[in-house]
Amino acid sequence: MGKHKFVIEFELRASPKVLFPYVSTASGLQQWFAEKVTLKNSTTFDFIWDGDSHVANVSQHRVNKSIKFDFLPTTEETRDHNYLEFKMDVSELTGSTYLKVIDYSDSNDDDELTELWEDLMYKLKEIVGN
């Protein structure tokens, strides 16, 4: 099965300065995104879901703008590895922050991914006061 690039965007009523730590730090991500997140070194995160470890390197990082996690290959996945990217943009008209999620993985069920990300964003919005 090939990889699938899933993109979804959410409006949040919190500034990028408030939101960014929740998408770029182990403690922030652990609050809404994964069961446990640990920092192995300054650019390597270990995400735990259902007891399984998924290690990712930060390949792009722009403070209060975007972050990209490249997940390390697990098997023969040497070149076309999974990644997850969060990008933030502020609407000058409304002042709202838009968080774009780019999920590049084996999962190709858009309905399932939409439901997953909506549930995760519900948690994040509760934390940041939306």
Side-chain angles (χ1 to χ4, degrees):
M1 178 187 338
K3 300 286 182 176
H4 175 67
K5 184 176 181 178
F6 177 76
V7 180
I8 192 166
E9 191 170 67
F10 298 93
E11 180 180 6
L12 294 112
R13 290 182 188 88
S15 72
K17 194 173 185 177
V18 169
L19 278 175
F20 196 69
Y22 290 102
V23 299
S24 64
T25 66
S27 60
L29 287 159
Q30 187 169 302
Q31 290 185 52
W32 67 279
F33 183 63
E35 291 167 25
K36 185 172 183 176
V37 182
T38 54
L39 196 57
K40 291 180 151 298
N41 63 45
S42 63
T43 60
T44 306
F45 287 70
D46 187 3
F47 296 91
I48 306 292
W49 288 286
D50 299 326
D52 292 332
S53 171
H54 302 270
V55 178
N57 288 323
V58 174
S59 62
Q60 294 175 13
H61 182 262
R62 292 182 59 217
V63 176
N64 299 333
K65 291 280 186 195
S66 65
I67 189 161
K68 182 178 179 184
F69 297 97
D70 284 316
F71 286 87
L72 299 182
T74 49
T75 53
E76 68 280 344
E77 221 186 34
T78 53
R79 292 172 46 185
D80 195 21
H81 56 273
N82 297 350
Y83 70 82
L84 178 64
E85 189 169 7
F86 296 110
K87 292 183 175 184
M88 288 180 227
D89 195 25
V90 177
S91 167
E92 290 184 25
L93 189 62
T94 65
S96 292
T97 300
Y98 289 88
L99 179 61
K100 181 185 285 189
V101 177
I102 303 162
D103 183 344
Y104 185 73
S105 66
D106 295 322
S107 182
N108 63 359
D109 184 337
D110 282 353
D111 292 337
E112 188 178 293
L113 287 166
T114 298
E115 186 177 328
L116 169 73
W117 282 106
E118 284 176 348
D119 289 348
L120 289 168
M121 283 303 137
Y122 179 79
K123 286 185 199 175
L124 180 60
K125 286 178 177 184
E126 279 189 327
I127 294 167
V128 298
N130 261 237

